[in-house]
Amino acid sequence: MTQQIKSLEEYKKVYAESVENPEKFWAKQAKTFTWRKPWTKVLDYEFKSPKVKWFVKGKLNITENCLDRHLESRGDQTALIWEPNDPSQAYRTYTYRELYEEVCRAANMLKANGIKKGDRVCFYMPMVPELTIAVLACARIGAIHSVVFAGFSANALADRIKDASCKMVICSDYNSRGAKNIPVKKVVDDALAMGCDSVETVIVHKNTGEKTAMKRRRDIWWHKAIEGQRKTCRATQMDSEDILFILYTSGSTGKPKGVVHTCGGYMVYTCFSFKNVFQYKEGDVYWCTADIGWITGHSYIIYGPLLAGATTMMFEGVPTFPDAGRFWHICEKHRVNQFYTAPTAIRALMALGDHWPKHYDLNSLKVLGTVGEPINEEAWNWYKKEIGKGTLPIVDTWWQTETGGIMISGLAGISPEKATFAGYPLPGVQVCLVNADGKEIRGNGKEGLLCIKFPWPSMIRTTYGDHERCRQVYFSAFEDKYFTGDGARRDRKGMYRIIGRVDDVINVSGHRMGTAEVENAINEHENVVESAVVGYPHDIKGQGIYAYVIPNAKIKNEAAFQKELRAIVTREIGPIAKPDKIQVVSGLPKTRSGKIMRRILRKIASGDTKNLGDVSTLLNPEIVKEVMKGAKK
Ligand code: PRX
């Protein structure tokens, strides 16, 4: 099993070793896994191109490490607990052996339906065990999974299916979330009607059993397709650098890009980081509340915990159904030991009152975690006091879809803790701050742009189908460095605090969104000439979406116009991208070269109109007053 650090002294020692000799350090971790063939070289890299290979020519299958290798020692231990949306419905558990058998059956089902190594399979599913099972089934036979969060619209789903030329889609009939039943299969039908010619088969998992239209020769029911499939399936031998999955994420420009992760390095890093950050101990019950549609779910619901032989939980529902005590009820019911959630959920629950957690026995909890966005001090303190009884360690984990695993975080109960600070980098992670010219800022008590200057095993390898974009977005800003897009502060003791994105990416309820994507959607409206979208501070969501819109004629009914714009964004991207505030303007502040001055728009949106700086050099300085006057409260 991968190394588990036990003290701050050990962390310091291991960190120093990992920087002095990264190859030796990672080889030591990697050796604890099952490889079909050993690697010939630990690392081969060049950031410029970028080209990054870990455990070169090593052969493995990640599911043999998640499942097979645990069968002897913990075949009867619970691997997965599933808590349904409706608390009156029975929960389900799978032992490692049961999960292994289900994954093998699903892998045989995929093969029987024409899926081979290298084929792309798209998922559009709720948080049900079949999602985890089928994702692992893909990995078992070397098919590449591309999970799309089931809150995205048909348009967004179609874009992702086309970009990866997926051969199959796996979905459910309906998705139960809170009191709602959402017709998921219908969204898939709509997406496939938009020219997704690569899709040959749709496997539909019966979740709610409501009436669902099936297309002949294309759609099959999961329960029929899996019937009679064998409980064993030989895992396909993969190269360390073969693609494990694609996951789409938003950037500052253009459409979302498919971040590519590969088998070997991702396996080693997710397991190592899981065990160390959460200090998982044999027999613990670990719960991450994320959705598998995001990287957190991939790395820390499925892969990291299963690689480590943990008991991992999946929750189908939402934090407020049937009431705001649901999370705490689940912690009590399943005796959860490690609990990992997003600041936005903490803030939402905090706003609903301190009495909710008090109704439940939270004594099983040992570790609290947060991820996805900066956590404000008030939320951190509430989490510590009300959930952690003032004593439990909180790990604030900073990382990204592109990093594959947690990069900066405390190790629970080991590292020093400071509210709103993620803390120190994990072993093997060489972070640095640079200034706008790319010069490294040395010393403590400094602020700058957060970069990583040496490869780590689970890093992004490429953006699917467009390697140049990967180079340009992440590796071209600063020489020999991966640029994260975040700004950070390093305190006197070298601990890091993430300030937030410095590019045109906003983080709404922990969901990452490109402002350009939202603008493109708004601009689809026939009466819109131009728009600019920025983020602004929001009490619960962290950031809200503020849209400035220039119409082509006077808008008679602004409420109706706003409704139409929100409907378009929902259609193009999904409800998570709907603007919170829309302001109709006659122009946007621009530089003489025609660039929108987002800095000014951000300030106005955040209600900070005192420090706009010098606006006299703008092409249209007069517009600033108008925009300020009409700003939405
Ligand atoms: O801005 C940072 C923020 O989320 C971004 C990455 O988003 P995504 O790829 O969707 O992955 C989210 C889950 C890993 C980062 O660039 N972010 C993530 N974690 C934190 C954070 N900001 C502050 N503190 C964190 N702990």
Side-chain angles (χ1 to χ4, degrees):
M1 272 293 190
T2 22
Q3 182 173 12
Q4 194 172 40
I5 295 165
K6 298 274 180 350
S7 67
L8 188 59
E9 291 65 48
E10 191 185 352
Y11 161 76
K12 286 182 184 159
K13 191 171 143 265
V14 171
Y15 187 82
E17 282 168 10
S18 77
V19 172
E20 267 155 42
N21 196 339
E23 297 194 26
K24 188 170 160 214
F25 172 75
W26 287 116
K28 184 175 151 197
Q29 308 307 328
K31 275 192 190 131
T32 62
F33 293 86
T34 304
W35 295 80
R36 294 254 184 106
K37 269 192 204 151
W39 54 90
T40 54
K41 197 170 177 224
V42 179
L43 172 65
D44 186 5
Y45 89 103
E46 180 196 81
F47 267 3
K48 203 164 59 197
S49 6
K51 175 188 80 173
V52 176
K53 291 184 177 176
W54 280 93
F55 313 113
V56 183
K57 296 210 170 99
K59 307 285 178 204
L60 75 155
N61 185 290
I62 196 167
T63 70
E64 285 186 334
N65 286 280
C66 290
L67 302 167
D68 308 44
R69 79 170 166 148
H70 299 312
L71 292 182
E72 208 175 301
S73 58
R74 53 170 69 89
D76 296 327
Q77 182 203 303
T78 305
L80 183 68
I81 304 175
W82 175 72
E83 172 67 25
N85 175 59
D86 175 355
S88 65
Q89 204 187 322
Y91 69 89
R92 271 151 65 183
T93 62
Y94 295 79
T95 63
Y96 268 93
R97 184 171 311 284
E98 286 164 343
L99 187 61
Y100 163 82
E101 289 177 357
E102 289 305 315
V103 169
C104 287
R105 290 174 72 210
N108 289 323
M109 166 179 82
L110 297 180
K111 284 205 283 193
N113 284 283
I115 299 299
K116 314 178 295 303
K117 179 176 174 183
D119 287 341
R120 274 81 57 213
V121 176
C122 177
F123 288 79
Y124 190 76
M125 276 182 95
M127 288 286 287
V128 291
E130 287 74 12
L131 169 57
T132 296
I133 289 166
V135 158
L136 290 169
C138 282
R140 185 114 188 136
I141 63 169
I144 299 167
H145 52 83
S146 168
V147 183
V148 177
F149 174 62
F152 280 116
S153 68
N155 277 294
L157 174 62
D159 283 347
R160 287 156 175 78
I161 293 172
K162 283 188 231 170
D163 188 76
S165 306
C166 294
K167 196 167 168 186
M168 177 184 273
V169 178
I170 305 184
C171 66
S172 58
D173 51 1
Y174 280 74
N175 181 349
S176 332
R177 276 179 79 74
K180 282 191 244 160
N181 263 355
I182 302 152
V184 180
K185 166 66 166 50
K186 170 80 172 62
V187 181
V188 172
D189 287 340
D190 291 348
L192 296 188
M194 295 177 201
C196 300
D197 301 335
S198 56
V199 175
E200 292 171 7
T201 314
V202 179
I203 296 187
V204 188
H205 173 253
K206 198 173 259 187
N207 191 29
T208 67
E210 279 168 81
K211 205 169 157 34
T212 300
M214 298 288 275
K215 188 168 171 193
R216 279 186 57 201
R217 284 198 280 274
R218 188 196 72 184
D219 303 349
I220 41 172
W221 287 105
W222 169 289
H223 58 272
K224 295 226 168 106
I226 205 152
E227 207 174 63
Q229 296 296 348
R230 277 180 302 113
K231 290 177 184 172
T232 54
C233 171
R234 186 160 163 73
T236 300
Q237 178 166 304
M238 305 292 282
D239 186 89
S240 201
E241 285 300 333
D242 278 340
I243 301 180
L244 175 62
F245 67 85
I246 305 169
L247 186 58
Y248 285 84
T249 193
S250 297
S252 349
T253 54
K255 293 205 166 177
K257 44 195 181 289
V259 171
V260 169
H261 285 291
T262 58
C263 298
Y266 180 82
M267 170 178 80
V268 173
Y269 195 84
T270 51
C271 183
F272 176 82
S273 51
F274 171 76
K275 281 190 69 170
N276 283 285
V277 169
F278 299 103
Q279 290 291 304
Y280 184 86
K281 299 277 172 334
E282 202 69 41
D284 284 348
V285 173
Y286 160 89
W287 180 24
C288 165
T289 70
D291 191 289
I292 290 172
W294 312 113
I295 191 69
T296 309
H298 282 63
S299 302
Y300 299 110
I301 294 179
I302 303 182
Y303 288 111
L306 294 178
L307 287 162
T311 299
T312 182
M313 185 153 70
M314 282 176 81
F315 172 43
E316 186 185 23
V318 296
T320 49
F321 179 81
D323 58 46
R326 188 68 194 277
F327 270 7
W328 322 124
H329 184 204
I330 296 174
C331 286
E332 177 186 276
K333 179 173 170 187
H334 297 287
R335 307 301 299 153
V336 171
N337 301 113
Q338 287 89 4
F339 176 72
Y340 189 30
T341 196
T344 194
I346 299 170
R347 285 191 296 262
L349 294 175
M350 180 171 85
L352 294 169
D354 296 350
H355 57 287
W356 287 107
K358 291 199 168 66
H359 293 315
Y360 301 96
D361 173 6
L362 300 179
N363 281 328
S364 58
L365 288 174
K366 297 198 287 190
V367 174
L368 304 176
T370 97
V371 59
E373 50 182 319
I375 184 163
N376 49 314
E377 198 151 354
E378 198 192 349
W380 195 96
N381 287 332
W382 185 84
Y383 200 27
K384 182 87 178 176
K385 178 163 172 267
E386 301 299 332
I387 312 304
K389 308 282 187 282
T391 55
L392 296 188
I394 296 183
V395 285
D396 178 354
T397 64
W398 173 82
W399 57 298
Q400 309 178 296
T401 306
E402 295 86 342
T403 68
I406 298 168
M407 297 276 101
I408 306 181
S409 166
L411 310 183
I414 290 175
S415 316
E417 214 175 73
K418 188 168 165 185
T420 76
F421 276 70
Y424 294 115
L426 259 63
V429 178
Q430 299 190 31
V431 292
C432 64
L433 297 177
V434 302
N435 65 18
D437 303 325
K439 206 166 156 340
E440 189 170 339
I441 303 169
R442 299 198 184 263
N444 288 341
K446 300 278 166 63
E447 204 171 298
L449 303 168
L450 186 64
C451 291
I452 308 179
K453 58 184 177 183
F454 195 83
W456 64 100
S458 62
M459 68 186 288
I460 179 173
R461 299 299 196 267
T462 188
T463 40
Y464 193 77
D466 193 352
H467 192 63
E468 170 55 19
R469 190 163 176 206
C470 173
R471 187 195 68 75
Q472 207 254 325
V473 173
Y474 306 104
F475 296 91
S476 71
F478 308 112
E479 207 181 327
D480 269 341
K481 289 180 186 70
Y482 164 83
F483 176 43
T484 64
D486 280 312
R489 181 199 310 269
R490 189 167 51 220
D491 77 358
R492 293 220 182 98
K493 294 194 167 140
M495 289 172 80
Y496 285 87
R497 176 189 184 168
I498 310 304
I499 298 165
R501 303 289 305 197
V502 294
D503 52 10
D504 291 323
V505 169
I506 49 180
N507 197 326
V508 182
S509 302
H511 298 153
R512 185 167 152 181
M513 216 110 45
T515 49
E517 269 175 87
V518 185
E519 287 162 11
N520 290 343
I522 291 174
N523 297 348
E524 293 276 310
H525 191 287
E526 56 178 3
N527 299 118
V528 172
V529 178
E530 197 178 8
S531 63
V533 166
V534 296
Y536 72 96
H538 187 288
D539 285 348
I540 305 285
K541 300 180 181 183
Q543 279 190 299
I545 304 179
Y546 196 116
Y548 298 91
V549 180
I550 310 179
N552 61 4
K554 184 139 179 58
I555 300 296
K556 287 196 199 88
N557 182 345
E558 195 175 317
F561 181 56
Q562 290 208 13
K563 205 167 157 207
E564 283 163 23
L565 293 178
R566 290 196 173 95
I568 286 186
V569 175
T570 303
R571 188 190 72 200
E572 293 295 314
I573 307 172
I576 54 174
K578 259 194 309 199
D580 297 275
K581 295 182 185 179
I582 298 173
Q583 182 183 349
V584 175
V585 291
S586 71
L588 291 165
K590 290 193 174 168
T591 61
R592 298 219 166 151
S593 58
K595 238 181 108 195
I596 297 174
M597 282 296 280
R598 288 169 185 281
R599 184 179 57 77
I600 292 177
L601 294 176
R602 264 186 233 123
K603 288 229 158 180
I604 296 175
S606 67
D608 174 15
T609 48
K610 285 207 191 82
N611 308 305
L612 290 184
D614 183 13
V615 297
S616 63
T617 55
L618 292 179
L619 182 71
N620 49 353
E622 70 291 344
I623 202 73
V624 175
K625 263 207 191 110
E626 180 209 302
V627 176
M628 263 162 58
K629 209 163 141 229
K632 301 275 165 186
K633 289 279 171 287

